[in-house]
Amino acid sequence: MVTFAAFGGIIIGYDTGTINGILQMADWRKTFGQPDPSRNGQFLVSTSLQSAVVSILSAGTLLGALGGAPTADAWGRRIGMMFSCLVLCLGVALQTGASDLATFIVGRFFAGLGVGLVSILVPLYQSECSPKQIRGAIVSCYSFTITLGLLLSSVINNTTKDRENHSSWRIPIAIQFIWAFVLFTGMLWLPETPRWLMRDDRAIAAAKSLARLRSLPPDHDEVQTELGDIAAALEREKRVGQGSYRDCLRITPNKISLRTFSAIAIQALQQLTGITFIFYYGTTFFANAGIGNPFLVTVIVNVVNLLTTVPGIWGADNLGRRPLLLGGAVVMCICAFLVSILGVTTSVHDLSPQRAVIALVCIYIAAFASTWGPIAWVVTGEIFPLNVRAKAMSLSVASHWLFNWAISFAAPYLANPGAGNADLGVKVFFVWGSTCALCVVFVYLFIPETKGLSLEQVDILYQQWSPVARTRRQQVSVTTLNISDETSECEKVEQSTEGEGKEKCCRDSV
């Protein structure tokens, strides 16, 4: 049931990937572009037009992400996702019927609002419903469906690109109605998250929801224990007054401000790895680099992206969050610098450098898809306490879309040739290589390991953990964490001479 909610990722991936190919379609360029005097019968899409059309979606998603918190808290996670589907359909309808650029851009904006809402509500819903043992894998499925959406968009774009009328670009856009319908209809049967129901003082409904999600009767000990943990954590949060946007930035014993900073940073860095550049402008980039059939290369890149997400789903709960994030950033950093070095030292119009660039981009995509693609969403969805979870997640997802917008807006000016542009071409990967190196430093300092812990146990972990404590002697090692019905504090019962802390929390019987 919870994995089905990941279907919302198809909406995000498909919408992101569709515009990548549409910008190169002849009929779309003829409809919205300008005649190119240097090429008879060809139409020019200026850098400013590319930037506006692509980045306006990200502007909408930024507002949608910020609006996701009040929507999720007021209506619930499930109803919020259904509402986001309706907003998306409005944007798709405007784009499909557009005959002028203004209508098309407005449609892109409303589609962005819907995508922004989905991008916060799906991982929020999954995190709050998933059993702790497989939460990483389930939330990673969200990233998998994003890659599936990207692949579907590239395949459909490749299929319709040679049509000589408006259907070449209207068909790929209109197919988004199908994805919205499937998600909307499916959510009619899925339960609301038990944590939101407890927050809304609906304990009986929360017990029924959790029992359905765990395939157990409502009075089963496991269900009642988990509900008790949720209730204890919620009561403690209410006592300290957590629940507003201001609380997301407060310096508190359980380090809410640190968590908010970490989530905002990890979502920003996910975009700054350069992945957005590939998925928004990959077709244009490959074409400018002299690579034949850039549409086919984009399909290949998206196939690699989809298949290599699967190891990330497995690794989230088996290898852990930190090893995947660190390893993925290192591999991406190396590949990005190698692509740039090839661009400086060779002519990418030669066959061998072309193949090398494609191979390195595929390895780069594989490293992202199996690490930063899914794990950034996993971390964002699990590190916040219940009362501020929706609001703090909205800030972090807003960061995702803010940097998505910034890169989508700036990338054409950085990479494209022509007057007023930086004309970096493949050398733009020097920038992405540097930001990937920054990712390594950030994860090492600020991201603790959270695999195998419930959301309430993660809350306790942050009370014991500090980004300053990076040495083996100082690092907190959590072996058993349980929420106390009376207090959230862990009783430290053992500290070995080697310095590996072992924390144990006692549960008081009620």
Side-chain angles (χ1 to χ4, degrees), residues 178-379:
I178 299 175
W179 316 139
F181 174 79
V182 171
L183 181 62
F184 182 94
T185 305
M187 294 311 297
L188 292 173
W189 280 273
L190 293 187
E192 182 54 80
T193 74
R195 287 174 171 83
W196 182 83
L197 291 170
M198 288 291 287
R199 183 180 181 274
D200 202 41
D201 295 324
R202 295 162 62 183
I204 296 176
K208 291 181 179 178
S209 172
L210 187 60
R212 185 180 172 198
L213 288 164
R214 302 294 183 264
S215 298
L216 296 169
D219 58 353
H220 192 278
D221 287 346
E222 184 178 330
V223 173
Q224 292 300 313
T225 297
E226 189 168 350
L227 286 174
D229 287 349
I230 296 170
L234 184 59
E235 181 61 30
R236 175 177 52 79
E237 292 164 21
K238 288 180 178 178
R239 286 201 301 267
V240 297
Q242 296 173 357
S244 67
Y245 277 106
R246 182 181 178 183
D247 291 323
C248 297
L249 305 175
R250 288 174 57 193
I251 299 176
T252 60
N254 56 351
K255 302 180 180 68
I256 298 299
S257 59
L258 172 64
R259 302 191 217 188
T260 303
F261 162 75
S262 298
I264 288 174
I266 200 171
Q267 289 289 346
L269 288 170
Q270 187 199 53
Q271 295 301 295
L272 288 170
T273 58
I275 200 70
T276 299
F277 174 78
I278 292 294
F279 291 136
Y280 276 153
Y281 298 108
T283 304
T284 303
F285 168 76
F286 290 129
N288 290 341
I291 294 174
N293 200 345
F295 280 89
L296 181 59
V297 174
T298 302
V299 172
I300 294 172
V301 165
N302 281 292
V303 169
V304 172
N305 188 34
L306 176 69
L307 295 179
T308 52
T309 304
V310 177
I313 296 174
W314 173 86
D317 292 313
N318 289 276
L319 301 177
R321 283 58 157 158
R322 274 175 59 85
L324 288 178
L325 290 172
L326 288 169
V330 169
V331 174
M332 286 189 290
C333 179
I334 294 172
C335 289
F337 280 126
L338 288 176
V339 169
S340 297
I341 291 169
L342 277 173
V344 172
T345 59
T346 66
S347 171
V348 293
H349 295 282
D350 296 336
L351 186 59
S352 295
Q354 282 186 17
R355 290 174 176 173
V357 166
I358 294 172
L360 287 168
V361 169
C362 286
I363 296 171
Y364 167 88
I365 293 292
F368 176 88
S370 58
T371 58
W372 278 79
I375 304 303
W377 292 105
V378 174
V379 171

Side-chain angles (χ1 to χ4, degrees), residues 343-465:
V344 172
T345 59
T346 66
S347 171
V348 293
H349 295 282
D350 296 336
L351 186 59
S352 295
Q354 282 186 17
R355 290 174 176 173
V357 166
I358 294 172
L360 287 168
V361 169
C362 286
I363 296 171
Y364 167 88
I365 293 292
F368 176 88
S370 58
T371 58
W372 278 79
I375 304 303
W377 292 105
V378 174
V379 171
T380 301
E382 68 185 6
I383 65 175
F384 297 111
L386 178 58
N387 256 19
V388 298
R389 184 171 296 134
K391 293 180 177 63
M393 281 191 65
S394 74
L395 292 175
S396 63
V397 175
S399 167
H400 173 99
W401 292 116
L402 175 63
F403 280 85
N404 183 284
W405 169 81
I407 293 171
S408 63
F409 181 84
Y413 294 101
L414 290 173
N416 287 358
N421 298 331
D423 192 16
L424 293 179
V426 293
K427 290 178 284 188
V428 74
F429 276 85
F430 277 126
V431 177
W432 313 138
S434 301
T435 53
C436 288
L438 181 61
C439 291
V440 177
V441 177
F442 168 76
V443 173
Y444 181 77
L445 292 177
F446 292 102
I447 302 299
E449 185 54 69
T450 54
K451 73 168 183 174
L453 301 179
S454 71
L455 298 181
E456 290 70 37
Q457 290 168 341
V458 172
D459 193 31
I460 296 174
L461 170 63
Y462 266 93
Q463 297 178 38
Q464 307 298 318
W465 177 85

Side-chain angles (χ1 to χ4, degrees), residues 14-230:
Y14 187 89
D15 197 281
T16 300
T18 299
I19 199 64
N20 183 0
I22 285 176
L23 290 174
Q24 291 296 311
M25 291 184 181
D27 186 78
W28 190 89
R29 297 170 75 90
K30 179 180 179 181
T31 304
F32 301 110
Q34 298 293 328
D36 188 350
S38 63
R39 300 179 183 177
N40 292 330
Q42 299 292 318
F43 288 81
L44 175 68
V45 176
S46 65
T47 298
S48 59
L49 179 57
Q50 285 185 44
S51 179
V53 169
V54 175
S55 64
I56 194 64
L57 178 89
S58 300
T61 53
L62 173 62
L63 295 179
L66 291 173
T71 301
D73 284 342
W75 297 348
R77 289 43 166 154
R78 186 177 70 93
I79 300 299
M81 276 195 278
M82 297 169 67
F83 172 72
S84 66
C85 292
L86 299 178
V87 176
L88 174 73
C89 287
L90 172 61
V92 172
L94 288 171
Q95 290 178 81
T96 305
S99 56
D100 60 89
L101 185 60
T103 303
F104 190 86
I105 289 178
V106 170
R108 291 275 296 167
F109 177 79
F110 278 102
L113 282 176
V115 169
L117 287 166
V118 169
S119 66
I120 175 178
L121 292 167
V122 169
L124 180 61
Y125 181 88
Q126 291 181 305
S127 296
E128 293 191 352
C129 290
S130 303
K132 62 184 180 181
Q133 297 88 347
I134 57 172
R135 185 177 64 247
I138 286 179
V139 179
S140 295
C141 288
Y142 171 59
S143 180
F144 177 80
T145 56
I146 291 176
T147 64
L148 179 59
L150 286 164
L151 174 61
L152 289 172
S153 68
S154 64
V155 170
I156 293 171
N157 282 343
N158 193 49
T159 303
T160 65
K161 70 180 189 302
D162 294 325
R163 288 173 171 260
E164 297 180 355
N165 52 41
H166 293 341
S167 65
S168 62
W169 52 272
R170 284 181 171 171
I171 289 176
I173 293 174
I175 284 176
Q176 293 175 89
F177 284 122
I178 299 175
W179 316 139
F181 174 79
V182 171
L183 181 62
F184 182 94
T185 305
M187 294 311 297
L188 292 173
W189 280 273
L190 293 187
E192 182 54 80
T193 74
R195 287 174 171 83
W196 182 83
L197 291 170
M198 288 291 287
R199 183 180 181 274
D200 202 41
D201 295 324
R202 295 162 62 183
I204 296 176
K208 291 181 179 178
S209 172
L210 187 60
R212 185 180 172 198
L213 288 164
R214 302 294 183 264
S215 298
L216 296 169
D219 58 353
H220 192 278
D221 287 346
E222 184 178 330
V223 173
Q224 292 300 313
T225 297
E226 189 168 350
L227 286 174
D229 287 349
I230 296 170

